[in-house]
Amino acid sequence: MDLFDPSTPLPPWFSEEDLSVYASLYEKSGFRFALQVPYRTLTVDIGIVNPKVAAPALLIMGEKDYVLKFPGMEDYIRTGAVKNLVPDLDITFVAEGSHFVHEQFPEQINHLIITFLAKHK
């Protein structure tokens, strides 16, 4: 993946100390689990007949999230095709947000989550 340039400075909301904490956690637990998340195991048959999510769901993404650069991902989300699997999905984009939008804009994200939960009491 050519999405990361090691010469790029860390953003102001992510310190060298933050980076050290994340790195130490990966050293302790390894990186294997992160590679086994569902989108990496789509070909494994786990017996789910109807993979639709029946519960209301909220997707908050940054407009600058690198995930949108994955082939087909931006169209899948922006066209609403994702709602074929998650019919009751609210999608919100944060203009200056990246993949770590919750760390960049915690108050805004908390407000979005609280509003979503209140709507679905």
Side-chain angles (χ1 to χ4, degrees), residues 3-11 16:
L3 301 174
F4 174 71
D5 179 357
S7 67
T8 303
L10 292 174
E16 287 290 339

Side-chain angles (χ1 to χ4, degrees), residues 60 105-115:
I60 303 170
F105 306 103
E107 294 84 15
Q108 182 179 355
I109 302 308
N110 284 342
H111 175 74
L112 290 168
I113 293 170
I114 290 168
T115 301

Side-chain angles (χ1 to χ4, degrees), residues 24-95:
S24 71
L25 292 171
Y26 280 116
E27 286 173 359
K28 289 178 187 174
S29 66
F31 197 63
R32 184 180 171 128
F33 178 75
L35 297 176
Q36 292 177 325
V37 292
Y39 67 88
R40 296 200 185 269
T41 58
L42 290 174
T43 60
V44 177
D45 182 6
I46 56 174
I48 297 176
V49 179
N50 184 2
K52 288 189 179 183
V53 174
L58 174 64
L59 171 61
I60 303 170
M61 287 193 78
E63 289 282 356
K64 298 178 180 180
D65 191 330
Y66 62 81
V67 169
L68 293 172
K69 295 181 181 182
F70 290 7
M73 187 62 72
E74 186 165 12
D75 284 342
Y76 184 66
I77 294 169
R78 291 197 191 271
T79 65
V82 65
K83 292 185 179 190
N84 291 327
L85 294 176
V86 189
D88 195 3
L89 177 65
D90 288 353
I91 303 171
T92 301
F93 285 95
V94 177

Side-chain angles (χ1 to χ4, degrees), residues 95-106:
E96 293 300 314
S98 70
H99 190 66
F100 299 98
V101 70
H102 57 288
E103 292 183 11
Q104 291 175 278
F105 306 103

